[in-house]
Amino acid sequence: MTRRILQPLVCLLLVLFPFTDAGAQDEGPRVRVVWTTKPPVIDGVLDEAVWEGAALLGPLTQVAPRLGEAPTQRTEIRILTDQRHLYFGIRCFDAEPSKIVARDMLRDSWPFAEAQINFTLDTFYDRRNAYLFNVTAAGGRADALIEGPQILLSWDTIWFARTTIDEQGWNVEIAIPYQSINFDPEGDAWGFNIERFIARYEEEARWADLSQDRTITDVGRSGTLEGLRGIQQGLGLDVTPSLALRREDRYDEDSHDTTADPALDITYKLTPGLTAALTANTNFAETQVDLRQVDLSRFELFFPERRAFFLQDALIFDFAGLNENARPYFSRRIGRAEDGEAIDIRVGGKVTGREGPLSLGLFGVNQDEHDGIESKNLAVGRASLNVLEESKIGVIATHGDPTSNDENNLVGADFQYRNSSFRGSRTLAGKTWFQHSFSSGVDGEQAAFGGELEYPNDIVNWKIGFQQIGENYHPGLGFVNRTDIRRYDAQYRYRIRPDEGFLRAIDFKLACFLVTDTATTVESGLLAFEPIKLTRGVIYEGGNAEDSLKFRYEHRFERLLEPFEIHPDIFLPAKSYHYDEGSVRIETNRKRILAGTVDVGAGTFFSGERLRALGQLDFRPNKHFLVSLIYDHNQIWLPEGDFEVQLVILRTTVQFTPDISWITFGQWDNVSDKLGFNSRFRWIIQDGREFHIVVNQDCDTRNGIRSERTEAILKLEWTFRF
């Protein structure tokens, strides 16, 4: 049986290799940076004489809506460097400055529907990995890591940008400290690409890789920035002490605690490409709370990592691009109990970065004892080697289980293939991977493996995949919510792009998956058909820069092997279920003052019926204020009992300046009958130097509103650079 499973994976690997053609890529545009001894002042006003002698980029070209045409508005991009910073001076001309969409200046909000500049820096010039930076016309900034097809939007580093709007358009000045990023010290060239988005026209203009098959985050065909040999990081040492003052009142327990928690984070550039980090007595007081999710499934929900220490160079630890089930390493397992309560991390350290074609990540922490579980030393090691033109092969190992006193280890290997010059300028991608866990007292069925082949292009987009997860597979530091399975996935989308007219795209999509146990008994299945999706606006998968209308039909199969408590005191009997749903989804472009989403579905559900509705409404009258309301409602009628699930999330954002914000989340659901508030005031005194005020309030709503817990936190962190 194992041979029959492994043979397709071996064939996949053999099929992928012949598609490598080192000479297939077109030579992209190039620009040589100009050095200066008098750096510009970063104030958003390009009035210094030094900009006149800067490197001037060639013109941008439309990617959307009219591929290959000149942009409707001119953009001048100038680049300078000294030994310590890379500088950009960008003038975005606009014939009607009063119509520039500039309403979002929140740090790390990633507003797809704003006037903005995006650029990537492939600092190892390996066509695989890069840093992504974003600046909006209102002064908002965001940054992200790119590792192959994976993008980590929650990553942060220290950099500077300021914008202004005048009678000619809008301007931005940017400074990227070389100490904030890793790079090849022997290299003279970086991969580089930049694009401008004009929101009111939904127009995207790019410098390199003029293809609708890829976005700017696909760095395999970027342009080149030359003349960087000689840049320096100084000593490369960041020391960040912080102090959190915390007051917590638990009214049911009559507990009232006031604590002062000092912490220390140190990062040191061992080499320009390799960073060491140390944390002591770590606290994450300012971290945003998780958004609640409606859970009507049998499996554990997945929540993303938000803590800064774990996000630094996080994608180096990425394994085979696995998003959820069978991830060998998932940092949220560390420093959190199963009920979500924080566990102290006494000390932690890691070394991450790249040396030549090798990427390396070593990570270890000592987690405090809790709930009868002893203090634990937890560790992860990850290494990958660049092969072919855009691909890599790697290994991973983990040690420890933060939820148990038992021993747990894991090893794995993966191969990730990518070719953005397949059949000329198309992209072909694939991956194959294997893992094996070693848990004390467990023998056999601890392996997991899989593979995937993908054609992720604009007009035709398809993907097929397979994975098998053994019954006793247990990644102590990873994420798995379903074992003893084989899963088969396939999806196909075809897109029509009208030459002219109201619509930007018309999509047709078919997706399916089948899950069996390892004895080939079918356990779950899905067949989903989207007969049509109509889109007006720039198309970002998961973005919000479009108006769209989508119809969907899906058929599901579930075999329950034991009774399932779908709702308190409502149990579905163990048997097989077939059910169907039809739905319609409408989204509007977030560039408007009032925008929203409506998703309504109805059909059968297990042994009964379901009517569901999801609505989101965003009101943004100006760049200083945003109110967002989400309401998710499921009405379920079952022979075993009727029930409804309601979830309400209210978010208010007050943005005083690009560096001072006040964000409040209110969340309530009728299953837990809990009302929670998280209010965070953030003052970025300077990147790396921040002051936070955080207030958390938990209430029980079963009989009125009764306060259960109040928490107030003051935190100051201050980075010293050497």
Side-chain angles (χ1 to χ4, degrees):
M1 181 64 68
T2 302
R3 178 178 295 179
R4 292 203 300 268
I5 299 301
L6 289 176
Q7 281 178 343
L9 300 180
V10 174
C11 291
L12 172 62
L13 188 61
L14 293 175
V15 166
L16 292 176
F17 270 104
F19 290 143
T20 306
D21 182 357
Q25 293 193 10
D26 296 330
E27 184 72 17
R30 311 176 77 88
V31 63
R32 176 165 287 274
V33 67
V34 171
W35 283 67
T36 181
T37 57
K38 186 178 181 181
V41 177
I42 305 302
D43 57 6
V45 181
L46 282 73
D47 56 356
E48 293 98 337
V50 67
W51 286 120
E52 296 300 321
L56 180 62
L57 228 62
L60 305 184
T61 305
Q62 274 197 58
V63 174
R66 295 177 176 85
L67 179 64
E69 293 190 10
T72 58
Q73 309 293 327
R74 185 163 59 94
T75 308
E76 289 184 357
I77 302 168
R78 291 178 165 82
I79 309 176
L80 290 167
T81 191
D82 56 21
Q83 287 189 330
R84 303 297 291 272
H85 295 80
L86 181 63
Y87 301 100
F88 294 88
I90 305 170
R91 182 175 292 278
C92 300
F93 291 95
D94 198 302
E96 299 177 280
S98 63
K99 295 183 179 180
I100 295 172
V101 180
R103 289 196 299 271
D104 198 322
M105 55 181 175
L106 185 66
R107 182 74 156 97
D108 294 321
S109 66
W110 290 104
F112 291 98
E114 290 279 302
Q116 61 192 271
I117 290 289
N118 296 286
F119 62 95
T120 57
L121 298 174
D122 174 7
T123 57
F124 287 85
Y125 205 28
D126 62 6
R127 304 296 189 184
R128 296 163 177 82
N129 316 290
Y131 299 97
L132 172 64
F133 297 92
N134 164 279
V135 184
T136 71
R141 291 180 297 136
D143 38 25
L145 293 176
I146 300 172
E147 184 93 13
Q150 304 297 313
I151 304 172
L152 186 65
L153 299 179
S154 50
W155 173 78
D156 278 326
T157 194
I158 295 175
W159 60 293
F160 312 97
R162 285 291 182 266
T163 63
T164 57
I165 298 178
D166 57 28
E167 66 279 358
Q168 292 185 304
W170 67 280
N171 315 292
V172 58
E173 288 183 306
I174 301 166
I176 309 293
Y178 293 125
Q179 190 168 341
S180 296
I181 57 180
N182 292 347
F183 57 86
D184 179 3
E186 302 302 322
D188 184 60
W190 292 357
F192 170 67
N193 204 357
I194 190 167
E195 69 178 10
R196 177 185 177 185
F197 180 59
I198 304 175
R200 72 178 183 277
Y201 298 145
E202 283 120 15
E203 178 181 302
E204 181 183 357
R206 199 180 300 162
W207 182 57
D209 194 13
L210 307 178
S211 171
Q212 293 177 338
D213 289 318
R214 291 175 294 279
T215 69
I216 195 171
T217 62
D218 296 294
V219 299
R221 297 169 66 89
S222 295
T224 302
L225 181 63
E226 299 175 314
L228 292 164
R229 184 172 286 115
I231 60 177
Q232 298 179 6
Q233 295 176 321
L235 185 59
L237 177 65
D238 284 0
V239 179
T240 307
S242 65
L243 177 65
L245 303 178
R246 179 172 172 267
R247 168 73 179 188
E248 183 180 39
D249 298 290
R250 293 183 179 267
Y251 303 106
D252 288 348
E253 304 171 6
D254 195 24
S255 171
H256 309 278
D257 295 318
T258 302
T259 58
D261 295 321
L264 179 66
D265 293 289
I266 300 174
T267 61
Y268 176 64
K269 299 290 186 182
L270 301 173
T271 71
L274 207 59
T275 301
L278 175 71
T279 185
N281 197 34
T282 310
N283 65 71
F284 306 104
E286 77 283 8
T287 303
Q288 177 184 313
V289 297
D290 292 321
L291 295 182
R292 299 186 196 178
Q293 301 180 34
V294 173
D295 183 15
L296 295 172
S297 74
R298 298 173 284 155
F299 310 109
E300 180 184 356
L301 293 176
F302 182 89
F303 292 90
E305 178 61 86
R306 301 182 184 277
R307 297 169 295 176
F309 175 73
F310 294 102
L311 293 173
Q312 179 197 343
D313 284 341
L315 287 185
I316 283 181
F317 295 93
D318 172 71
F319 180 83
L322 295 174
N323 292 320
E324 295 187 18
N325 202 23
R327 285 181 63 157
Y329 170 57
F330 180 45
S331 59
R332 278 183 65 108
R333 293 294 188 218
I334 302 171
R336 289 180 185 268
E338 292 185 355
D339 61 2
E341 288 293 317
I343 304 170
D344 290 339
I345 296 175
R346 295 173 175 175
V347 65
K350 61 181 175 180
V351 176
T352 54
R354 295 180 173 84
E355 289 294 325
L358 178 68
S359 296
L360 179 67
L362 299 173
F363 171 77
V365 299
N366 178 263
Q367 179 177 286
D368 204 356
E369 59 185 1
H370 68 98
D371 301 325
I373 298 174
E374 301 170 355
S375 174
K376 307 283 288 190
N377 291 318
L378 310 169
V380 183
R382 169 70 165 154
S384 61
L385 182 69
N386 293 344
V387 296
L388 310 179
E389 289 296 309
E390 303 172 47
S391 309
K392 65 180 182 180
I393 189 167
V395 295
I396 193 169
T398 72
H399 167 74
D401 183 348
T403 64
S404 170
N405 287 322
D406 294 334
E407 287 294 318
N408 179 271
N409 297 285
L410 177 143
V411 295
D414 67 324
F415 171 67
Q416 300 182 60
Y417 173 83
R418 190 170 185 85
N419 183 357
S420 59
S421 298
F422 178 66
R423 297 179 61 188
S425 63
R426 300 292 184 262
T427 297
L428 182 71
K431 62 188 179 187
T432 183
W433 55 272
F434 175 85
Q435 303 173 48
H436 198 290
S437 63
F438 301 89
S439 301
S440 59
V442 177
D443 293 318
E445 304 299 332
Q446 296 191 68
F449 53 90
E452 182 179 281
L453 185 62
E454 183 179 12
Y455 187 74
N457 295 284
D458 182 55
I459 303 302
V460 175
N461 185 311
W462 56 259
K463 178 167 62 175
I464 56 174
F466 166 81
Q467 64 177 214
Q468 176 171 314
I469 303 175
E471 181 179 6
N472 296 321
Y473 167 78
H474 175 59
L477 287 178
F479 181 87
V480 60
N481 60 8
R482 196 168 187 179
T483 60
D484 190 28
I485 63 166
R486 291 175 182 153
R487 176 169 174 141
Y488 309 83
D489 289 271
Q491 69 177 42
Y492 177 86
R493 179 195 40 78
Y494 183 77
R495 172 171 293 158
I496 298 173
R497 283 192 176 270
D499 293 334
E500 300 288 343
F502 180 78
L503 293 176
R504 187 70 61 86
I506 304 171
D507 289 352
F508 309 89
K509 185 176 180 180
L510 182 67
C512 59
F513 72 76
L514 182 69
V515 178
T516 75
D517 63 18
T518 50
T520 69
T521 300
V522 177
E523 291 189 353
S524 300
L526 168 71
L527 176 63
F529 177 49
E530 295 176 7
I532 193 168
K533 178 182 177 182
L534 308 175
T535 301
R536 180 180 182 273
V538 170
I539 301 167
Y540 286 106
E541 298 296 333
N544 54 7
E546 60 186 46
D547 297 312
S548 66
L549 170 65
K550 179 175 72 175
F551 297 92
R552 179 181 173 93
Y553 162 78
E554 62 179 47
H555 174 79
R556 285 185 177 268
F557 170 79
E558 290 288 344
R559 184 191 305 277
L560 300 185
L561 302 179
E562 58 185 27
F564 167 48
E565 188 178 17
I566 192 171
H567 194 71
D569 300 322
I570 298 178
F571 291 84
L572 293 171
K575 64 176 186 178
S576 297
Y577 297 86
H578 291 267
Y579 51 99
D580 304 86
E581 181 187 80
S583 64
V584 59
R585 183 181 181 93
I586 302 172
E587 295 186 67
T588 64
N589 196 315
R590 263 50 175 184
K591 72 180 180 181
R592 299 183 177 88
I593 293 176
L594 194 65
T597 299
V598 175
D599 191 336
V600 179
T604 54
F605 184 70
F606 285 99
S607 57
E609 297 178 337
R610 175 171 73 163
L611 175 64
R612 63 171 184 83
L614 169 68
Q616 177 174 345
L617 185 64
D618 296 336
F619 175 59
R620 189 190 298 274
N622 53 53
K623 65 182 180 180
H624 297 289
F625 190 67
L626 167 66
V627 178
S628 180
L629 176 64
I630 299 174
Y631 178 64
D632 195 347
H633 182 215
N634 283 259
Q635 185 70 53
I636 315 291
W637 298 274
L638 300 173
E640 297 79 14
D642 301 340
F643 66 94
E644 65 177 355
V645 178
Q646 299 181 70
L647 172 62
V648 181
I649 301 175
L650 176 65
R651 168 179 166 165
T652 62
T653 301
V654 181
Q655 188 71 34
F656 301 98
T657 73
D659 297 319
I660 303 176
S661 62
W662 177 25
I663 302 175
T664 300
F665 282 94
Q667 302 184 88
W668 174 83
D669 70 90
N670 71 323
V671 176
S672 67
D673 271 320
K674 302 292 185 183
L675 174 64
F677 290 97
N678 171 251
S679 189
R680 296 178 297 123
F681 175 84
R682 182 185 188 187
W683 177 20
I684 306 174
I685 303 166
Q686 182 182 344
D687 256 27
R689 300 174 176 181
E690 300 188 9
F691 175 67
H692 300 263
I693 302 175
V694 182
V695 177
N696 293 310
Q697 181 71 56
D698 297 330
C699 301
D700 187 296
T701 61
R702 282 172 290 189
N703 297 299
I705 299 178
R706 181 175 58 86
S707 181
E708 292 185 324
R709 185 182 77 105
T710 302
E711 182 183 45
I713 300 166
L714 301 179
K715 182 176 180 180
L716 177 66
E717 61 180 37
W718 203 271
T719 298
F720 298 91
R721 295 205 120 172
F722 303 94

